[in-house]
Amino acid sequence: MFQLKKALNGGVLLLGFGAVCFAPAAIAGKPWQRIDVPDSMTVLLADGSEREVSPSCSGGPTLINPEMPPSPDNLKPADTNFAFFVQQGNPNRILFFMDGGGACWNAETCIGSPLIGESTYVQTVDGMIGDLANIGGVLDSDNPGNPFANYTKVFVPYCTGDIHFGTRDAEYELTTDEGSLSWTIHHRGVDNLLATIHMLNTSVSRNGKRLAVDFASAKDVTVTGLSAGGYGATLAFGYIAEETSPRTRLNLISDSAMGVQTDDFYGQVIYDGSGDERWGFADGLPSWVPAFSDPDVFLGGATGNALAFKPLMFQALGDYRPEARLASVSPNLDGVQIQFYAASLPSAQQPISPSEWYAGLQYIVQQTASVPNYRFFIEEGSFHTFLASDEHLYGVGALGVSLRDWINAMIKPGNRAWDSLDAGEPALQ
C-alpha cells in the first residue's frame, strides 16, 4: 500500500485506491484521539430509527509467519478491530474525511493476492502506518494555507475492501494447486460509518472528555475522501447532512473516485437485483434521501450502464440538498483508477487503452454536469489523489488554478465564482 512518502510524491500502486493511511500523532499540541469501536452496537439514525451494526475490519487473510512463503497453511485472519480518529479544532467547522486503500470483490482479490505475497487493500486500522506530523494537504492543521486548517477533523479509516459501501459478510472460495480455500470477508464499511457517526453524536471518547463534534450546531461541514474514500464520501454525505441544521453550509468533495467501471463489476458488487451482490450496498442507502427510498429503482438505473452510477448518486444528493455544493476532482490519466478499471474487466478484454478510461471519465462528468450544485476539477496528470498531498493541493492545478483555490471558492461564504475546470484530453503515447 501507499506509504506517506509515496503519497506525497504522487506515486501509484496497482489497486492502491489512494491508500494514504495514517496513525494518530500529536500535531503542534493538537493530538489525534483514537476512538475504539465495539464489534456490535445499536445505532440511532437521524430519522429516529435504530439499526444493529457490526463494525469490523475485513478479517482478510494475512501471513502467520512473515518469514515463510505465502500458502494456505500460512494464513490467518487479520485483526478485525475498528477505530476512528478525531482532532479537535473549531467546533463550528467540521471536516469528515474518509480514507482510501484498495478493494476486493472476488476470490482472487480477497484471498488470492496474499498467496502471492500482497494484499489488494488495507486490512487493518493498526496497519495504517504514517506520521500525521509530516502529512500535507487538507489534514495539515499547521499550514495556514490549508482551507481546513482550523477545522475539527474526523478521520475514518478504511479496512473493509468495499469502498465503504458494505453491509454484510461474504464467503469467497479460491481454488489453488493445493485444493480449495474458503474465507469470510467482513464487508462492513457502512457499519463502521454509522458507528462513527453514532459515537460522535453520543460524545464517546477514550479519556472521558466530551468530543467537540456536533453536526447539529456546526456552521460548516465538509464531507470528503480520497480514492476508495471518495466513493464512501458520497454515501456518508447523505447520513451526515441529515444530522446538520438547515443553516449549515454543506460540501462534498470526492477525490479520485470517478466511477469508471464495468457493467459486470457493477452487477457483482453493487446491484443486479438478486440481493446477492458482494457488498450489500442497497442495504446501506439512507432512506430519507428521496431517490434512495426505493433502492431497487435507484440502483436499477445503472443496470446495463455502470457509468451512470456516480451521476445518479450526485443527482440524488443534489436534489436532496440543493443548497450544498458537490464536487468531483481527478487527474485526467489517473494510473490507479485505470488499473482498477482494467482489473474489473474479464481477462479477455485486457489490456485496455488509457483513452478508454478517459472516455468514461468524460461521460460521467458531462452527465453529472446537469446537477445544478455540482462542479468538477480535472487536472492533467497520471498521479492518484490530491487531498493528502501539498504538491497536488497547492500545485499548478487545472487551467492554472490550484485545487486549494478552487476549494476555497467552493466552501467559503459569499458569491465567489466556482466553475468546473477541465485540463482537457491527456497526451497519450
Side-chain angles (χ1 to χ4, degrees), residues 44-63:
L44 180 66
L45 301 182
D47 64 353
S49 64
E50 293 184 340
R51 177 167 176 161
E52 300 297 322
V53 297
S54 301
S56 179
C57 289
S58 73
T62 189
L63 294 176

Side-chain angles (χ1 to χ4, degrees), residues 139-225:
L139 292 170
D140 183 358
S141 296
D142 289 339
N143 187 342
N146 173 13
F148 305 100
N150 70 339
Y151 280 49
T152 288
K153 299 176 179 67
V154 179
F155 180 82
V156 182
Y158 169 63
C159 58
T160 50
D162 57 11
I163 62 176
H164 298 277
F165 280 5
T167 61
R168 62 173 57 154
D169 299 339
E171 188 81 14
Y172 297 95
E173 184 169 335
L174 181 72
T175 300
T176 71
D177 292 340
E178 300 179 25
S180 295
L181 175 66
S182 295
W183 209 276
T184 299
I185 298 294
H186 306 296
H187 293 305
R188 295 289 176 172
V190 173
D191 292 40
N192 293 346
L193 168 67
L194 297 183
T196 297
I197 296 171
H198 177 80
M199 293 179 73
L200 291 172
N201 284 339
T202 53
S203 300
V204 175
S205 74
R206 181 178 61 181
N207 55 14
K209 294 181 179 178
R210 180 177 175 83
L211 295 174
V213 183
D214 185 350
F215 295 113
S217 62
K219 296 179 180 178
D220 184 308
V221 175
T222 295
V223 181
T224 191

Side-chain angles (χ1 to χ4, degrees), residues 215-284:
F215 295 113
S217 62
K219 296 179 180 178
D220 184 308
V221 175
T222 295
V223 181
T224 191
L226 49 74
S227 198
Y231 292 97
T234 58
L235 176 65
F237 181 85
Y239 283 103
I240 292 172
E242 195 70 9
E243 303 283 347
T244 65
S245 83
R247 298 179 300 278
T248 304
R249 290 192 303 273
L250 288 169
N251 304 289
L252 167 63
I253 306 171
S254 176
D255 177 6
S256 302
M258 296 307 300
V260 183
Q261 58 188 324
T262 66
D263 293 342
D264 181 64
F265 176 81
Y266 184 83
Q268 284 188 46
V269 303
I270 297 178
Y271 184 78
D272 68 4
S274 71
D276 294 328
E277 301 86 11
R278 299 285 192 270
W279 297 338
F281 178 54
D283 293 331

Side-chain angles (χ1 to χ4, degrees), residues 340-370:
F340 168 74
Y341 174 66
S344 70
L345 287 166
S347 57
Q349 298 181 33
Q350 298 183 36
I352 68 162
S353 166
S355 61
E356 182 180 331
W357 178 85
Y358 176 75
L361 177 150
Q362 283 297 312
Y363 175 88
I364 288 167
V365 296
Q366 296 305 323
Q367 290 295 308
T368 317
S370 62

Side-chain angles (χ1 to χ4, degrees), residues 57-58 78-81 121-128 157-160:
C57 289
S58 73
D79 180 25
T80 58
N81 293 321
Y121 68 99
V122 173
Q123 297 176 312
T124 66
V125 171
D126 290 336
M128 297 178 177
Y158 169 63
C159 58
T160 50

